[in-house]
C-alpha cells in the first residue's frame, strides 16, 4: 500500500445516573480471586439507569433532557489480580434515542473510574470478551461548505455513502493503555500487541506518580480511533494523602467530565437510529485497496460522560470537575454562559491542575478554557454566586459570539452541558481554595540539566497534501540543501538536520535512558497555514512547556522534502493556565515551535510517542521510543557507533542511540 494513500489530515476542528452497568461482575477473579473482604466495591453513580425499551426515533435531539451520569468507581484490590471484562453492550446515549450498540469496559460507557492510591501496585487482567464485528459504521463523504468541506460532517446520517467494508468486517482486537501512567513497556498497551476474543492482557501498574487524573483507552493500531469511538475509554484517578488534606471539593462535589463528540446514522426516513457513525470527508479519489486521504473524525453532537448534552443539578457551592477530552479529533474552547442574559461569565473557572497533577496555586481564567484530545484539566467552579440560575458550558470560536453556532468551522451545535444551580445556602461560609496546592514549580530552559538529550520532531505536509511526523537528527553543518535536509535558525545558531523516519514501520531511531531528562522541540510547519493543532503525547514522561515560538514556514519546500533556507523563529507566544503544569500532551499549533522538557520515568522497554488525534495516530503519526537503563544505553550507543564505522551519525535508514546536546555519549 502506498504510504501516502493511507494517511489523513484534519481541517478546522472547532478551535477549538450510574453509567449503564450490567452483565459482568467487576473483579470477578478470573485470573486470581481474593476474599470478599479484600474485594473492592463499585460505587454506583447518580441518576437513573439509562436502559429500557427503545425510544421513538427523531431527526433532531433536544439539549439538556438527560441528567449527567457519573461512571461507577472501581477500587482495585492490591492482593491478587483484578479482572475487567471488555464486553459488547447497548447503552442509551440520549433519551430520545434507542440504545446504541457499543464495546465497553464492564458494560459501562465511559468505563468504570479506576481509583488507586499513590504507590499502590495493582494487577489488572483486561479480558477481551467481545464477539462479532465492530458496532461502528464508517463512511467517506464528499466535502461541502468552505474548504476543507467540513460542513458535510455537521449533520447525522451517511448521506447515502456506502459503509466502509473494512469496518463492516472488523473483528475485535484490543490493547489497553493507561494514559499518563508509569508502567513498564510490557504493561503499557503496546499498539502492535493487541489481543483477540478469549485472551487476556495482564498489566501491572505501580501508580508512582503524584495524585493526578489519568485515563485508560484502547491503543490497538491501526484501529485505535474506531475502538475508542466504539466506547473503549474510562477515567483513572491516582490519589494521595497530601491532596486529601487540602479540603478540595470531594465526594458528590468532585465530578469527572469526559468530553467527546459523536455522530449517529439515520434510517431511510432520516430519523436517527442511534448507531455510532464515523463520517469522514474524503479529500481525494481512493486508490484501489487503500484508505483515501480524509479529514479526521468529528461529530456534531457533544457528549459528557456518555450523555449527549446533559444537565447537572448543582448546589450553590464549589465543585471540582476532573475534565478530559476523549474526542478522536476535536479540540474544545470552553466558556460558561448565563442562560438568562446570554453573556459569558468571566473568572468563574479556576484551574488547579493539569495532566500530571496539581499546580502550585490556582489560576483564574479570564478567557476560554482550551482542551485538546488527550489533555486533562482539573478545575473548580463555585456556583455560590449564581443561585437559582441556569448556566451553560459551550464550545466557542472567535468567529462568532460564545454560544452561537459556527458551522463553517465545524461547530454546528455549541452546547456541551447545562448546570442547574439550586437555592442560596444561607449562612454557609464562602469557599476559599488553599493558597498553596502543591510543591509544584515552573521550570525554565536554565533548569534543564546541561547533558539532557535534545530531540527535534517536525510536523508538516508532504507533496501529496498529507501530514507527516518527521524525526530529525543532526547532520554535518556543511551538508547542502536537498531531499530530507532541514535547517532551523535557532538562538544558538543555525542547525542542520536529516529526516530519518516518517512512519511507525521505519527503523527505530530514538533510544533514551530511563530516569533521564530530555528536551524536545515540536515544529508544526505549513505554508498553507492550515489551522491544525497536533496534540503530541509522549509515553512515560511528564514534562513542562518551556517555550512557544512562532515560526516562518517559508524555507520549507514540500516538493523537495527539505528546506531551501533555514526555518526562522519568531516571537514567543503565551503558555495558557490550563497547560502551565506537568503535562503528557501538548498542543502544537500551525507554524509554531513548542519546546518541552521533562524526565522519563524509571521504566524501560519499547514505548511510543504520537499525535493524539487518533486518526493521525492510526495513519502514521506515531513512532517508537526505546528506554533502557543508562548503563545499557551506553553499550547500545557504542554498538551503533561500531556498526556505523566509528561515526556517531548512522547512514540513512539506520537507527542510532540518542546523543545529548553536548555531543558526548548519553550513558
Amino acid at each position: 500500500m502506498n504510504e501516502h494513500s493511507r494517511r489523513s489530515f484534519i481541517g478546522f476542528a472547532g478551535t477549538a445516573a450510574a453509567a449503564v452497568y450490567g452483565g459482568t461482575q467487576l473483579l470477578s477473579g478470573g485470573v486470581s480471586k481474593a476474599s470478599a473482604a479484600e474485594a473492592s466495591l463499585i460505587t454506583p453513580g447518580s441518576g437513573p439507569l439509562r436502559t429500557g425499551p427503545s425510544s421513538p426515533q427523531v431527526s433532531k435531539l433536544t439539549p439538556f433532557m438527560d441528567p449527567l451520569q457519573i461512571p461507577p468507581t472501581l477500587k482495585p484490590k492490591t492482593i491478587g489480580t483484578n479482572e475487567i471484562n471488555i464486553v459488547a453492550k447497548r447503552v442509551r446515549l440520549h433519551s430520545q434515542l434507542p440504545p446504541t450498540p457499543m464495546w465497553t469496559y464492564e458494560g459501562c460507557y465511559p468505563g468504570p473510574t479506576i481509583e488507586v492510591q499513590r504507590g499502590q501496585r495493582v494487577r489488572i487482567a483486561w479480558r477481551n470478551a467481545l464477539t462479532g464485528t465492530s458496532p461502528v459504521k464508517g463512511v467517506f463523504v464528499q466535502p461541502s461548505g468552505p474548504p476543507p468541506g467540513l460542513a458535510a460532517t455537521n449533520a447525522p446520517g451517511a448521506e447515502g455513502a456506502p459503509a466502509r467494508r473494512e469496518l463492516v468486517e472488523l473483528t475485535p482486537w484490543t490493547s489497553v493503555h493507561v494514559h499518563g501512567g508509569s508502567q513498564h513497556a510490557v504493561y503499557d498497551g503496546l499498539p502492535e500487541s493487541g489481543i483477540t476474543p478469549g485472551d487476556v492482557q495482564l498489566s501491572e501498574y505501580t501508580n508512582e506518580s503524584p495524585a493526578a487524573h489519568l485515563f485508560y483507552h484502547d491503543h490497538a493500531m491501526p484501529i485505535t480511533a474506531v475502538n475508542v469511538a466504539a466506547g473503549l475509554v474510562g477515567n483513572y484517578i491516582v490519589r494521595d494523602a497530601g491532596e486529601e488534606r487540602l479540603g478540595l471539593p470531594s465526594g458528590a462535589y468532585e465530578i469527572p467530565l469526559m468530553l467527546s463528540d459523536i455522530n449517529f446514522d439515520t434510517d431511510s426516513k432520516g430519523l436517527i437510529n442511534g448507531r455510532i457513525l464515523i463520517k469522514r470527508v474524503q479529500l481525494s479519489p481512493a486508490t484501489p485497496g487503500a484508505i483515501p486521504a480524509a479529514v479526521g473524525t468529528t461529530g456534531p453532537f457533544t457528549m459528557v460522560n456518555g450523555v449527549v448534552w446533559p444537565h447537572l443539578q448543582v448546589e450553590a457551592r464549589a465543585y471540582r470537575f476532573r475534565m478530559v477530552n476523549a474526542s478522536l479529533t476535536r479540540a474544545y474552547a470552553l466558556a460558561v454562559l448565563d442562560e438568562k442574559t446570554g453573556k459569558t461569565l468571566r473568572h468563574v473557572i479556576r484551574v488547579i491542575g493539569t495532566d500530571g497533577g496539581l499546580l502550585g496555586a490556582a489560576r483564574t481564567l479570564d478567557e476560554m478554557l482550551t482542551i485538546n484530545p488527550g489533555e486533562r484539566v482539573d478545575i473548580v467552579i463555585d456556583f455560590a454566586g449564581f443561585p437559582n440560575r441556569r448556566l451553560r458550558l459551550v464550545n466557542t470560536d472567535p468567529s462568532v459570539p460564545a454560544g452561537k453556532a459556527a458551522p463553517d468551522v465545524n461547530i454546528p451545535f455549541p452546547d456541551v452541558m447545562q448546570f442547574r444551580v439550586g437555592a442560596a445556602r444561607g449562612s454557609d461560609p464562602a469557599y476559599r481554595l488553599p493558597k498553596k496546592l502543591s510543591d509544584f514549580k515552573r521550570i525554565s530552559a536554565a533548569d534543564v540539566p546541561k547533558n539532557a538529550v535534545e530531540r527535534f520532531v517536525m510536523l508538516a505536509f508532504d507533496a501529496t497534501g498529507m501530514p507527516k511526523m518527521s524525526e530529525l537528527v543532526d547532520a554535518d553543518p556543511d551538508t547542502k540543501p536537498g531531499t530530507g535536509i532541514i535547517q532551523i535558525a535557532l538562538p544558538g545558531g543555525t542547525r542542520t538536520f536529516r529526516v530519518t523516519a516518517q512512519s511507525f514501520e521505519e527503523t527505530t531511531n530514538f533510544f533514551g535512558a530511563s530516569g533521564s531528562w530530555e528536551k524536545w522541540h515540536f515544529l508544526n510547519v505549513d505554508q498553507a497555514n492550515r489551522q491544525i493543532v497536533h496534540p503530541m503525547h509522549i509515553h512515560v514522561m511528564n514534562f513542562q512547556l518551556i517555550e512557544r515560538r512562532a515560526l516562518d514556514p517559508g524555507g520549507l519546500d514540500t516538493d523537495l522534502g527539505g528546506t531551501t533556507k533555514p526555518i526562522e523563529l519568531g516571537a514567543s507566544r503565551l503558555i495558557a493556565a490550563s497547560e502551565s503544569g506537568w503535562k503528557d500532551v501538548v498542543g502544537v499549533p500551525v507554524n509554531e515551535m513548542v519546546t518541552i522538557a521533562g524526565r522519563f520515568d524509571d521504566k524501560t522497554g519499547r514505548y511510543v510517542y504520537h499525535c493524539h488525534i487518533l486518526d493521525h495516530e492510526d495513519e502514521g503519526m506515531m513512532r517508537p521510543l526505546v528506554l533502557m537503563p543508562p548503563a545499557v544505553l551506553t553499550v547500545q550507543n557504542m554498538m551503533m557507533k561500531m556498526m556505523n564505522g566509528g561515526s556517531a551519525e548512522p547512514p540513512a535508514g539506520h537507527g542510532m542511540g540518542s546523543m545529548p546536546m553536548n555531543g558526548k555519549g548519553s550513558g
Side-chain angles (χ1 to χ4, degrees):
M1 181 186 300
N2 182 284
E3 169 62 20
H4 304 307
S5 67
R6 66 186 186 89
R7 299 169 58 91
S8 71
F9 73 86
I10 67 165
F12 301 94
T15 48
V20 177
Y21 168 59
T24 318
Q25 183 178 355
L26 290 165
L27 310 180
S28 56
V31 177
S32 175
K33 294 185 179 180
S35 67
E38 294 168 335
S40 303
L41 298 177
I42 297 297
T43 304
S46 63
L49 290 171
R50 290 176 293 129
T51 57
S54 298
S55 299
Q57 291 167 274
V58 293
S59 58
K60 296 181 180 180
L61 299 179
T62 304
F64 316 137
M65 285 189 65
D66 301 310
L68 179 77
Q69 305 295 308
I70 312 300
T73 300
L74 185 161
K75 296 185 177 182
K77 58 186 181 289
T78 302
I79 300 173
T81 301
N82 307 274
E83 183 173 301
I84 296 179
N85 292 291
I86 305 173
V87 297
K89 187 73 178 179
R90 288 183 177 269
V91 182
R92 193 183 296 279
L93 305 177
H94 189 282
S95 59
Q96 291 176 309
L97 294 178
T100 294
M102 303 190 78
W103 285 352
T104 70
Y105 298 108
E106 286 294 339
C108 305
Y109 178 67
T113 298
I114 298 174
E115 186 176 307
V116 298
Q117 292 295 317
R118 182 179 184 181
Q120 178 189 1
R121 186 181 294 262
V122 299
R123 291 181 177 178
I124 296 179
W126 305 92
R127 180 176 294 278
N128 185 335
L130 296 167
T131 58
T133 55
S134 175
V136 172
K137 178 180 178 179
V139 297
F140 291 111
V141 295
Q142 295 304 306
S144 64
L150 293 177
T153 66
N154 285 346
E159 302 179 26
R164 293 169 54 183
R165 182 174 177 180
E166 75 276 11
L167 298 189
V168 171
E169 300 174 349
L170 185 63
T171 54
W173 198 56
T174 62
S175 181
V176 184
H177 168 56
V178 173
H179 178 123
S182 175
Q183 51 266 343
H184 283 286
V186 292
Y187 305 133
D188 195 48
L190 300 175
E192 68 271 51
S193 297
I195 60 170
T196 51
D199 288 330
V200 170
Q201 174 189 332
L202 182 61
S203 295
E204 182 174 84
Y205 305 108
T206 56
N207 301 308
E208 298 169 36
S209 64
H213 178 192
L214 317 180
F215 70 117
Y216 61 99
H217 61 83
D218 191 80
H219 210 293
M221 70 172 294
I223 54 171
T224 297
V226 180
N227 285 356
V228 171
L232 296 181
V233 63
N235 293 289
Y236 192 110
I237 305 292
V238 180
R239 301 194 181 278
D240 64 26
E243 182 191 71
E244 291 170 0
R245 288 193 292 267
L246 292 173
L248 298 172
S250 61
Y253 308 107
E254 178 188 8
I255 297 175
L257 298 179
M258 180 172 283
L259 278 59
S260 56
D261 57 347
I262 195 169
N263 205 341
F264 298 105
D265 199 12
T266 55
D267 63 16
S268 59
K269 298 179 181 179
L271 302 178
I272 302 173
N273 63 18
R275 186 178 182 185
I276 296 171
L277 178 69
I278 288 180
K279 184 179 181 183
R280 300 180 61 183
V281 174
Q282 184 171 330
L283 299 173
S284 63
T287 301
I291 292 175
V295 174
T297 306
T298 58
F301 307 108
T302 299
M303 295 189 296
V304 185
N305 293 356
V307 184
V308 177
W309 299 323
H311 70 262
L312 176 65
Q313 188 72 43
V314 296
E315 299 175 30
R317 55 153 293 157
Y319 282 73
R320 180 184 187 184
F321 296 109
R322 314 292 290 265
M323 189 176 293
V324 56
N325 183 352
S327 298
L328 306 188
T329 295
R330 185 182 295 278
Y332 293 91
L334 302 170
V336 178
L337 303 183
D338 185 320
E339 279 197 1
K340 186 175 182 179
T341 65
K343 293 183 178 180
T344 302
L345 299 175
R346 305 170 73 89
H347 312 298
V348 298
I349 297 176
R350 305 194 70 187
V351 177
I352 63 171
T354 55
D355 302 347
L358 293 172
L359 299 176
R363 296 186 58 178
T364 301
L365 289 188
D366 182 48
E367 306 221 357
M368 59 193 177
L369 173 66
T370 300
I371 182 168
N372 293 298
E375 289 186 309
R376 286 87 68 210
V377 184
D378 196 348
I379 65 173
V380 170
I381 298 178
D382 193 344
F383 297 100
F386 309 99
N388 301 312
R389 289 161 76 176
R390 294 190 174 187
L391 312 181
R392 277 194 294 151
L393 188 67
V394 296
N395 190 23
T396 70
D397 185 84
S399 64
V400 296
K404 300 297 183 182
D408 287 351
V409 290
N410 205 22
I411 306 179
F413 307 116
D415 289 327
V416 175
M417 66 178 294
Q418 180 192 61
F419 300 105
R420 299 177 179 178
V421 188
R425 294 169 59 88
S427 59
D428 286 1
Y431 177 77
R432 286 186 172 83
L433 278 165
K435 291 184 178 180
K436 180 179 179 180
L437 296 170
S438 74
D439 293 328
F440 168 81
K441 290 183 175 58
R442 285 283 300 159
I443 62 173
S444 67
D447 299 316
V448 181
K450 299 300 182 185
N451 67 341
V453 171
E454 186 172 36
R455 304 189 194 273
F456 288 79
V457 178
M458 186 174 70
L459 317 168
F461 289 87
D462 63 17
T464 69
M466 304 315 305
K468 280 188 174 292
M469 186 173 78
S470 301
E471 290 181 350
L472 309 180
V473 299
D474 281 297
D476 189 313
D478 295 328
T479 303
K480 302 298 182 184
T483 302
I485 302 301
I486 304 294
Q487 288 189 315
I488 306 172
L490 296 165
T494 297
R495 285 175 65 176
T496 302
F497 301 93
R498 177 169 50 78
V499 174
T500 58
Q502 294 182 313
S503 71
F504 183 80
E505 295 81 3
E506 292 183 69
T507 301
T508 302
N509 296 303
F510 284 0
F511 292 80
S514 61
S516 67
W517 277 83
E518 295 207 354
K519 186 177 182 180
W520 290 47
H521 307 273
F522 294 105
L523 297 92
N524 185 351
V525 187
D526 181 22
Q527 292 176 336
N529 201 38
R530 284 159 279 212
Q531 298 298 303
I532 298 173
V533 178
H534 292 286
M536 299 305 298
H537 172 46
I538 305 173
H539 286 214
V540 293
M541 178 199 276
N542 273 345
F543 52 75
Q544 289 189 37
L545 273 74
I546 301 299
E547 188 177 38
R548 290 185 175 278
R549 292 281 295 272
L551 63 80
D552 182 348
L556 183 66
D557 185 326
T558 54
D559 292 325
L560 180 67
T563 53
T564 55
K565 63 180 181 178
I567 294 170
E568 300 281 349
L569 299 183
S572 293
R573 290 179 172 171
L574 177 70
I575 294 175
S578 58
E579 59 182 13
S580 61
W582 288 110
K583 299 279 294 169
D584 54 52
V585 176
V586 61
V588 185
V590 65
N591 293 328
E592 188 166 301
M593 183 178 83
V594 175
T595 299
I596 61 97
R599 178 183 174 275
F600 283 119
D601 293 341
D602 293 314
K603 300 293 186 289
T604 58
R606 188 174 191 262
Y607 297 94
V608 292
Y609 72 95
H610 56 87
C611 178
H612 220 281
I613 292 173
L614 297 186
D615 290 313
H616 287 190
E617 172 189 329
D618 284 336
E619 296 169 349
M621 296 189 76
M622 177 167 63
R623 286 285 297 150
L625 165 70
V626 175
L627 298 182
M628 299 174 170
V632 176
L633 183 61
T634 297
V635 178
Q636 167 74 10
N637 286 338
M638 294 173 69
M639 288 285 191
M640 295 307 297
K641 190 170 184 179
M642 177 270 292
M643 289 188 288
N644 296 328
S647 171
E649 182 182 339
H654 290 262
M656 66 178 292
S658 56
M659 300 299 291
M661 289 181 279
N662 60 14
K664 298 178 182 178
S666 59

